[in-house]
Amino acid sequence: MELALLVNLLAAGVRSGTPILFATIGEIFSERAGVLNLGVEGMMLMGAMTAYGVAYGTGNPWLGVLAAMGIGGLLALLHAFVTVTLRADQVVSGLALTFLGTGLSAVLGAPLVEIRSAPRLPNFRIPFLADIPVLGPIFFDHNVVVYIGFLLIPLAWFYIYRTRPGLELRALGEYPAAADTLGINVIRQRYFYVILGGALAGLAGASLSLAITPLWVEGMTAGAGWIAVGLVIFAGWDPVRGAMGAYLFGAIRRLPLDAQNLTFFLKNPTLGYFMNMLPYLFTIIVLVISSREAMRRRAGAPAALGVPYVREERGA
Amino acid sequence: MSDSYALEMRQITKRFPGTLANDRVDFTAREGEIHALLGENGAGKSTLMNVLTGLYHPDEGEIYINGRRFRFNSPGDAIAAGVGMVHQHFMLVPNQTVAENVILGLRDVPFRLNGRRIEENVQAISEQYGLPIDPRAKIWQLSVGEQQRVEIIKVLYRGAQILILDEPTAVLTPQETQGFFATLDEMRRQGKTIIFISHKLDEVLSIADRITVLRHGANVATVDAAGMTKPELASLMVGRPVLFHIDKPECKPGEPRLLLDGISALDNKGLTALNRLSLTVRSGEIVGVAGVAGNGQRELAEVICGLRATTGGVIDIGQNNVADAPPIVVINAGVAYVPEDRGAVGTAPNLSVAENMALKAYRKPPIGSGLFMDRRLMREQAAELIKRFDISTPGPLTPVRKLSGGNLQKVILAREISSNPRVIIAAYPTRGLDIGATENVRNILVDERSNGTAILLISEDLDEIFALSDRIAVLYEGEVAGVVPGEQADRDAVGLMMAGETPEAETAPAVTTPHTEAAPS
């Protein structure tokens, strides 16, 4: 039954796209404020490891989620201090953060690898809605983090486009000097959104280790953080388009697993190798395309993205 | 406490590392007054206003508004106290709408934005002060004049009683300036206090009620505008008498030295910047290029100097077509270039004055020989040029980044003119220079003209264009909208052409289109 397999694949796409979704929306906030944070992968890994450890230690997965968001925010605070206050290069600082997060999570998380019994976030089948054919299983029979993701999309969209602070956020990344002259505290707000981005990256990690693939192994994000960074550009810094991209990539990442059962692939076993390449291939393509300056401009990058804000001061 | 002043700044002192930007400045302004703030670059005007808008904290001094003392810790505090500033470089977010820009940063706007209500409010203010604008338009769609209106509306929307306008007319055409002055009048009538920063003395005299002049960070005079004259103001600013009249001998144009025929080129965004442009500059004449910024001026200069590819047309510098030839060919053909960006294009900031002056001469004897350079000769020649062009620098070995804008420009002129050019392309040669240095640079250009050099002068300063040019070419959207003889030029006609309107028949006799222009004899 090929339809059942397709429904399966799409449901899996929504599920495994959820961590990417959190990370993407977090990065959208950070970049809208004018700060590029390439540390998403590192923050996600630290979030995943922390969440798993805290959930195991306390027996409460929600405390794990909180701790993950805290550690993500803390790492982002470091990035904000280095790039907003010290005005260092955002690319260098972000890469360093990814290295830091990857290494630190591997070291600190080593004892957790053997543990398979940390409590997970619950699954929840939404009554009635889940019974709708096709749509039901794709959207309404999931872990709770998936629903949190559903809620976050319109919330983020509304905040950015329809609220006063959202307007300030958009000005922050486009023309911080204008915001400054109007009495908006550019430095404080940039800190806020970078930290928010980090907290969401932490949440992304937690959703991975406590719900989507409930365990901890070193480097378990497998590039999801990088996909998020690239998706932000493809989405034109828009959370709704970012969400669609996240689910699409979720499906692509699931393809090697779920497609194995399709009769077409059973006849051509070598295709499996190609399918295994797909997620990585797409990650590389996304990053290559999105790293081109011209591409970013066309996609509508915030004009002041990557530029530290300095109030014009004279001096020696 | 003198309560009659809407604004009183007392003994404001602001120091930056190595400089005293404001030295115990007193400044007052009344309700319903247009108060001009005059001064040369570096006189401390911007610093004083940045103190007033809360961007800088004064080291000493006090600010009173309507007799009440204020301490501004941030721009937000100044806005709350009714001080608003229209910056010279507009503080507008390009991809947001007029209405969004107007309410940006306001605290009393509801969390959830009500687009229609905001647009209605903006509309109301725009009607009250006669500032027509579409609240729904995006900033990038607006002309410079319209953007300025948005800036003013933004300030008024915040209930500002004290408005600071930083060189507001620098970007406007003469016609737009007239409309702008009508707005200022209206705001004055409604009791606003307006502080008008400018260096255009004619404008200041025509619109201001009182004038304060700053020099070297100190207030040298606050006077009533009525009864003041241009030379009096200028000597207050500079500290010595200034001659406004440029002694310009009669124009004796010779053979054509620079011929542009049907030149087209793209700008950095790939859009048409020059559209089949034709222009001739002859020996011994200055052709001024007037136009609102962004109508192809920069591309025109770059195309001639070989710095930008053409998409069609011919450039003739007394020999063959040099369109798309590398810059060295153009230089060897005798073209000197005084670029718009002195710091990045005109000079190498970390090289010394002497090295910068030799940047053209180093290739050839006597300075260059094979792989080597005669550095002593280079220094000697630099010392001569420093004397001849009256450049104030500690010495020929000082890095040029330490020079002021005026002296930097003189270094460029010294280098270019000492190469005995046949043609000079001067782009905004006096932009940002103070009165003294401007006078100097203009005289150098007039002297070169007397020596028979052909000069193409690109400038945004219409006074300068009118004072120096033998012919004026008006650039509009990459085309020459018309060429007017300098001495008969009519400001209004030029202004209309700058705005893209074809002059009417009555004013037309002085105008010839470039294509029908009589061939030089």
Side-chain angles (χ1 to χ4, degrees):
Chain A
M1 181 69 188
E2 304 272 308
L3 177 67
L5 286 172
L6 187 66
V7 167
N8 234 344
L9 173 66
L10 290 178
V14 167
R15 194 167 62 241
S16 62
T18 296
I20 303 177
L21 166 80
F22 291 133
T24 303
I25 289 182
E27 183 69 7
I28 285 175
F29 277 113
S30 182
E31 293 194 17
R32 283 271 185 182
V35 183
L36 178 71
N37 189 348
L38 295 183
V40 181
E41 179 84 355
M43 296 187 295
M44 273 181 79
L45 279 168
M46 281 299 285
M49 186 277 293
T50 308
Y52 198 74
V54 170
Y56 175 71
T58 64
N60 185 338
W62 294 106
L63 286 179
V65 171
L66 275 184
M69 293 179 73
I71 199 79
L74 201 65
L75 289 171
L77 171 67
L78 188 67
H79 182 64
F81 177 71
V82 170
T83 59
V84 178
T85 300
L86 302 181
R87 297 172 198 146
D89 189 285
Q90 295 177 2
V91 173
V92 174
S93 168
L95 287 175
L97 195 56
T98 282
F99 289 135
L100 177 74
T102 310
L104 206 56
S105 64
V107 172
L108 298 178
L112 297 172
V113 176
E114 300 304 316
I115 296 165
R116 288 281 184 267
S117 57
R120 301 169 185 184
L121 291 168
N123 288 317
F124 183 68
R125 190 172 191 276
I126 299 181
F128 308 114
L129 288 177
D131 298 327
I132 303 170
V134 183
L135 291 182
I138 293 178
F139 292 110
F140 304 115
D141 186 7
H142 281 296
N143 191 282
V144 286
V145 287
V146 175
Y147 306 125
I148 296 175
F150 290 166
L151 288 178
L152 184 63
I153 303 162
L155 276 181
W157 182 89
F158 182 79
Y159 182 86
I160 291 173
Y161 293 108
R162 290 287 182 274
T163 71
R164 174 171 49 78
L167 177 66
E168 294 178 6
L169 166 62
R170 284 183 284 140
L172 220 51
E174 287 292 338
Y175 198 175
D180 190 19
T181 57
L182 295 172
I184 295 168
N185 191 328
V186 174
I187 304 299
R188 192 196 300 162
Q189 292 217 13
R190 282 198 166 171
Y191 262 89
F192 175 78
Y193 287 111
V194 172
I195 291 170
L196 177 64
L200 285 171
L203 173 62
S207 66
L208 199 61
S209 66
L210 296 179
I212 310 302
T213 39
L215 50 81
W216 163 253
V217 284
E218 187 183 325
M220 71 183 294
T221 51
W226 290 111
I227 290 178
V229 170
L231 271 183
V232 169
I233 297 154
F234 269 85
W237 289 265
D238 177 278
V240 175
R241 280 157 62 187
M244 295 192 309
Y247 292 139
L248 175 71
F249 267 84
I252 290 171
R253 283 161 77 83
R254 288 294 301 194
L255 214 49
L257 296 172
D258 293 287
Q260 284 166 7
N261 299 325
L262 291 171
T263 42
F264 177 70
F265 287 98
L266 289 175
K267 287 181 192 154
N268 301 284
T270 47
L271 271 179
Y273 295 107
F274 179 73
M275 300 303 289
N276 280 328
M277 275 168 52
L278 265 186
Y280 301 97
L281 199 63
F282 268 80
T283 309
I284 290 170
I285 291 171
V286 165
L287 285 173
V288 166
I289 294 177
S290 59
S291 64
R292 287 193 50 204
E293 186 69 17
M295 168 74 197
R296 287 196 201 182
R297 292 285 164 240
R298 209 173 315 134
L305 180 59
V307 186
Y309 179 64
V310 192
R311 192 182 276 182
E312 200 177 333
E313 281 269 7
R314 274 183 288 168
Chain B
M1 283 318 89
S2 50
D3 287 5
S4 60
Y5 289 119
L7 166 71
E8 198 175 352
M9 298 177 83
R10 281 198 211 148
Q11 298 285 305
I12 300 290
T13 297
K14 175 72 187 171
R15 295 181 197 89
F16 290 110
T19 45
L20 184 57
N22 281 156
D23 183 8
R24 286 163 291 150
V25 176
D26 287 321
F27 181 82
T28 59
R30 301 190 180 107
E31 196 178 305
E33 167 181 76
I34 297 181
H35 194 135
L37 186 58
L38 273 179
E40 299 204 278
N41 292 312
K45 293 171 302 202
S46 307
T47 305
L48 187 66
M49 290 303 113
N50 282 334
V51 165
L52 182 54
T53 53
L55 275 172
Y56 293 163
H57 307 283
D59 296 317
E60 287 155 39
E62 296 159 2
I63 298 171
Y64 294 87
I65 290 167
N66 294 321
R68 210 182 122 204
R69 177 148 187 212
F70 281 88
R71 277 172 230 267
F72 298 149
N73 288 315
S74 77
D77 294 348
I79 292 166
V83 177
M85 178 148 180
V86 173
H87 292 262
Q88 189 180 3
H89 303 288
F90 298 145
M91 294 293 177
L92 298 170
V93 183
N95 58 2
Q96 292 182 0
T97 68
V98 170
E100 284 176 327
N101 268 280
V102 169
I103 59 151
L104 181 62
L106 285 178
R107 292 281 151 245
D108 50 2
V109 172
F111 179 80
R112 186 184 167 173
L113 298 178
N114 181 336
R116 185 159 333 138
R117 166 105 40 93
I118 294 159
E119 280 157 19
E120 282 166 9
N121 291 347
V122 170
Q123 193 73 46
I125 290 209
S126 107
E127 277 158 22
Q128 186 189 348
Y129 290 93
L131 296 159
I133 203 80
D134 173 10
R136 269 186 291 267
K138 301 253 178 172
I139 296 300
W140 59 264
Q141 299 170 319
L142 303 179
S143 74
V144 174
E146 288 171 315
Q147 291 188 21
Q148 187 169 56
R149 271 179 239 155
V150 180
E151 279 282 36
I152 295 172
I153 291 172
K154 205 164 92 177
V155 170
L156 292 172
Y157 195 93
R158 286 163 168 71
Q161 281 305 312
I162 299 168
L163 283 88
I164 306 162
L165 302 158
D166 189 4
E167 302 210 8
T169 60
V171 292
L172 302 181
T173 65
Q175 278 79 9
E176 283 176 323
T177 301
Q178 287 312 312
F180 171 71
F181 280 174
T183 306
L184 284 191
D185 251 343
E186 181 57 32
M187 291 195 291
R188 168 164 56 186
R189 215 179 50 74
Q190 300 196 18
K192 306 283 185 197
T193 301
I194 294 158
I195 302 170
F196 182 94
I197 303 175
S198 180
H199 61 253
K200 293 184 184 172
L201 300 176
D202 291 312
E203 281 181 9
V204 165
L205 285 169
S206 74
I207 190 83
D209 300 305
R210 289 196 301 154
I211 299 167
T212 289
V213 183
L214 295 187
R215 189 168 73 225
H216 301 313
N219 180 345
V220 291
T222 297
V223 295
D224 285 326
M228 285 303 284
T229 64
K230 226 172 127 178
E232 282 170 346
L233 282 179
S235 57
L236 279 174
M237 283 166 70
V238 184
R240 62 175 169 79
V242 177
L243 293 174
F244 275 94
H245 181 71
I246 296 171
D247 259 334
K248 216 173 70 170
E250 203 191 331
C251 172
K252 293 179 199 132
E255 84 284 358
R257 288 257 176 103
L258 171 66
L259 269 162
L260 302 178
D261 188 14
I263 286 292
S264 298
L266 304 178
D267 66 13
N268 290 345
K269 293 179 193 146
L271 306 171
T272 300
L274 299 177
N275 188 9
R276 306 178 58 76
L277 177 147
S278 299
L279 191 65
T280 307
V281 187
R282 287 167 290 187
S283 158
E285 78 168 349
I286 297 180
V287 173
V289 175
V292 178
N295 273 285
Q297 289 94 326
R298 167 193 295 195
E299 290 81 5
L300 175 63
E302 289 177 350
V303 154
I304 297 171
C305 298
L307 298 170
R308 181 176 291 274
T310 63
T311 53
V314 173
I315 302 174
D316 191 336
I317 310 177
Q319 32 181 261
N320 302 318
N321 180 14
V322 295
D324 298 324
I328 187 69
V329 172
V330 182
I331 290 169
N332 288 338
V335 175
Y337 179 36
V338 180
E340 180 179 352
D341 187 346
R342 286 165 213 145
V345 180
T347 53
N350 285 324
L351 298 192
S352 68
V353 172
E355 285 165 330
N356 269 288
M357 283 175 166
L359 275 181
K360 273 187 161 175
Y362 78 97
R363 294 170 188 278
K364 283 175 289 200
I367 287 184
S369 64
L371 277 177
F372 300 98
M373 290 191 301
D374 185 343
R375 296 188 64 86
R376 190 201 292 177
L377 181 66
M378 193 163 97
R379 266 203 308 280
E380 285 168 6
Q381 288 187 353
E384 268 169 47
L385 288 171
I386 288 170
K387 208 184 285 167
R388 181 174 147 204
F389 287 89
D390 190 24
I391 300 168
S392 79
T393 163
L397 298 181
T398 308
V400 293
R401 72 183 141 83
K402 295 194 172 165
L403 268 50
S404 72
N407 285 304
L408 195 59
Q409 188 69 305
K410 284 195 244 175
V411 168
I412 296 173
L413 280 164
R415 174 182 72 221
E416 297 300 324
I417 285 169
S418 63
S419 70
N420 292 319
R422 291 163 45 80
V423 178
I424 296 177
I425 312 295
Y428 310 99
T430 62
R431 179 193 273 175
L433 303 191
D434 54 36
I435 293 186
T438 298
E439 209 185 357
N440 246 307
V441 168
R442 290 180 183 168
N443 283 328
I444 291 170
L445 290 176
V446 171
D447 285 349
E448 272 307 294
R449 164 181 173 273
S450 304
N451 293 339
T453 311
I455 299 174
L456 186 71
L457 169 69
I458 299 172
S459 177
E460 64 214 332
D461 182 349
L462 272 187
D463 292 324
E464 173 165 282
I465 297 262
F466 277 88
L468 293 180
S469 307
D470 302 304
R471 289 188 300 141
I472 298 169
V474 182
L475 220 53
Y476 179 71
E477 292 192 342
E479 296 178 51
V480 175
V483 180
V484 199
E487 61 272 27
Q488 309 164 26
D490 169 19
R491 277 187 99 88
D492 289 334
V494 169
L496 283 175
M497 284 191 282
M498 282 167 68
E501 288 172 44
T502 334
E504 290 173 26
E506 299 92 274
T507 57
V511 180
T512 51
T513 68
H515 302 286
T516 59
E517 191 184 343
S521 50

